Amino acid sequence: MRGMAAVPSYVVMQPTTLCNLDCAYCYLPFRATDRRMPVAVAEAVAASVNPWAASARFSVVWHGGEPLAAGREQLAALMVPFGPEVEHHVQTNATLIDDAWCEFFVAHRMRVSVSVDGPRERNGDRVTRSGRPAYDRIVRGVAALRRHDLPFSALAVVNDPAPGRATELYDYCLDLGCEVLGVNIEETEGVNTRTNAHDPAVVTGFWAELVAAWRRQPRIHLREVEWSLRYAAAVLDGNADDLLPRHLDPIPTVAYDGSVVVLSPELAGFTDPRYGDFSSGNVLTTPLHAILADAAERTTWVGEFLTGVEACRSSCPYFGFCGGGHAANRYFELGRFDGTETEHCRNSKIRLLEGVLEHARNHQSPGA
Ligand code: SF4
């Protein structure tokens, strides 16, 4: 894998900067203000995306702020320019989901991923703008999805990977009824400056415990564990080098105003004296495909980041699994893009793989 691809596999769109919640770990800087994406931005993005979607699977991920805070009318208007081949996904805090939203998801064939951190007592960081717990509203939204038989994914942030937490989270998600679970150990990024440093053995134990819980009842696609098992199988088959894509997916995030930040949605909305606003262009003045064609050359920080990826390649034994991604984590943890190891990659790559291996070692059949 070298450099950045010119064509992404998905694009992240910000229909509004507003979020109706005020979670303690949120990285978004403008979540209290409702800056809405005009339809002209969606039209400009669709002009590049529609030809890509005609030749390969392609997704638009509506992200925020809280994307449902834009309202059904606004979201529908933003979706109109996209062709029928484009898959639409939404990442939501679920608190606004009701029957009308479920009908909207069906009508627009929209796939839903909800953010929920496990049982009530693990959602203490998730509060409304007035500081009240959001958990009951999250659960009401999920209940609406289930009433309408809508499949959904869950995304959980774990801020304390203590023993017992992985089993608790997995069992909770079995009851919740999600099809897919993604797990993020809390990250220090954006306006969230809380530390994400943990005892290595505890984090490894968390992932090992999650694998054990999943193996007892493998009814949910467990995103991180499936990645790890695919990598372990490829190593055993001797083709691990073929697993990483040939080029990094640029993952363009299109902010409400049309500005494009590649590789890390978490950088959108920030500025730095060295790197400016991190954007590589604006779709209202330059087509998205043209922005991506030379983003690495025209964007100072992207070139620096690709240097960091090469440093990972030559120094890190986990590169074949990780690919050296995570630009925002480098910036927010190390203050630069050409460094290598971060707490995030220790928590969510290195110890993830170690945890899966620990589980395998602990469950070898006798004599194996
Ligand atoms: S685990 Fe960290 S240091 Fe290793 S390749 Fe990934 S980002 Fe780089």
Side-chain angles (χ1 to χ4, degrees):
M1 186 187 68
R2 299 217 182 243
M4 198 169 70
V7 177
S9 60
Y10 65 101
V11 58
V12 180
M13 301 276 285
Q14 184 182 46
T16 173
T17 54
L18 180 70
C19 186
N20 58 324
L21 298 189
D22 194 19
C23 302
Y25 52 62
C26 183
Y27 62 84
L28 289 163
F30 302 122
R31 57 187 192 266
T33 52
D34 188 9
R35 301 178 186 180
R36 297 230 177 156
M37 177 178 278
V39 171
V41 169
E43 287 170 345
V45 173
S48 292
V49 159
N50 289 341
W52 292 332
S55 55
R57 195 171 171 191
F58 198 94
S59 300
V60 169
V61 180
W62 299 93
H63 208 294
E66 164 53 43
L68 304 192
R72 281 183 291 282
E73 207 176 310
Q74 166 80 355
L75 204 52
L78 293 173
M79 291 171 76
V80 166
F82 293 95
E85 297 92 351
V86 175
E87 289 179 14
H88 291 276
H89 298 247
V90 65
Q91 181 65 45
T92 172
N93 63 34
T95 58
L96 298 172
I97 298 177
D98 56 10
D99 291 335
W101 269 113
C102 290
E103 284 156 19
F104 181 97
F105 298 145
V106 173
H108 293 82
R109 291 183 294 127
M110 203 167 205
R111 298 165 195 229
V112 181
S113 175
V114 304
S115 304
V116 58
D117 299 342
R120 179 184 299 276
E121 56 275 27
R122 306 288 165 240
N123 283 266
D125 283 334
R126 313 210 60 207
V127 292
T128 65
R129 298 233 138 259
S130 56
R132 297 215 177 86
Y135 182 74
D136 288 337
R137 295 174 64 181
I138 296 169
V139 169
R140 267 205 302 278
V142 171
L145 292 171
R146 294 190 67 165
R147 247 188 343 268
H148 287 259
D149 282 330
L150 280 167
F152 63 97
S153 305
L155 190 58
V157 173
V158 173
N159 60 19
D160 178 11
R165 292 290 167 84
T167 307
E168 176 191 77
L169 175 62
Y170 189 78
D171 289 350
Y172 175 83
C173 288
L174 283 173
D175 288 344
L176 194 70
C178 60
E179 290 194 336
V180 181
L181 171 62
V183 180
N184 289 345
I185 307 276
E186 184 178 331
E187 299 166 39
T188 304
E189 61 185 2
V191 294
N192 179 22
T193 54
R194 301 197 312 199
T195 179
N196 59 345
H198 299 284
D199 179 332
V202 169
V203 182
T204 303
F206 171 86
W207 292 115
E209 188 186 307
L210 192 61
V211 182
W214 172 74
R215 285 196 63 199
R216 282 194 291 276
Q217 295 190 73
R219 299 204 316 262
I220 297 177
H221 289 289
L222 200 46
R223 188 183 63 178
E224 284 73 16
V225 170
E226 290 184 2
W227 290 342
S228 315
L229 294 178
R230 206 173 309 137
Y231 177 70
V235 170
L236 292 174
D237 290 345
N239 56 16
D241 289 347
D242 302 335
L243 211 58
L244 289 175
R246 289 168 60 81
H247 305 289
L248 277 172
D249 192 324
I251 318 175
T253 293
V254 182
Y256 75 99
D257 62 354
S259 60
V260 177
V261 171
V262 294
L263 295 168
S264 274
E266 299 86 355
L267 292 168
F270 287 88
T271 55
D272 181 288
R274 284 165 299 162
Y275 307 117
D277 66 359
F278 299 98
S279 89
S280 297
N282 189 303
V283 295
L284 294 177
T285 53
T286 312
L288 180 59
H289 61 267
I291 292 173
L292 297 182
D294 60 0
E297 291 75 39
R298 278 192 301 108
T299 319
T300 317
W301 74 263
V302 176
E304 194 178 297
F305 170 71
L306 293 175
T307 304
V309 173
E310 291 311 307
C312 280
R313 186 197 305 280
S314 56
S315 67
C316 179
Y318 298 85
F319 182 82
F321 172 57
C322 164
H326 320 299
N329 301 98
R330 288 175 197 220
Y331 173 70
F332 289 115
E333 285 194 33
L334 309 175
R336 52 189 304 134
F337 289 96
D338 54 2
T340 55
E341 226 178 278
T342 59
E343 290 296 346
H344 169 69
C345 69
R346 287 182 203 114
N347 289 337
S348 299
K349 297 289 179 179
I350 296 173
R351 283 160 203 154
L352 163 63
L353 201 52
E354 293 297 334
V356 172
L357 295 176
E358 180 177 296
H359 172 84
R361 275 193 293 270
N362 293 343
H363 291 79
Q364 279 176 30
S365 52

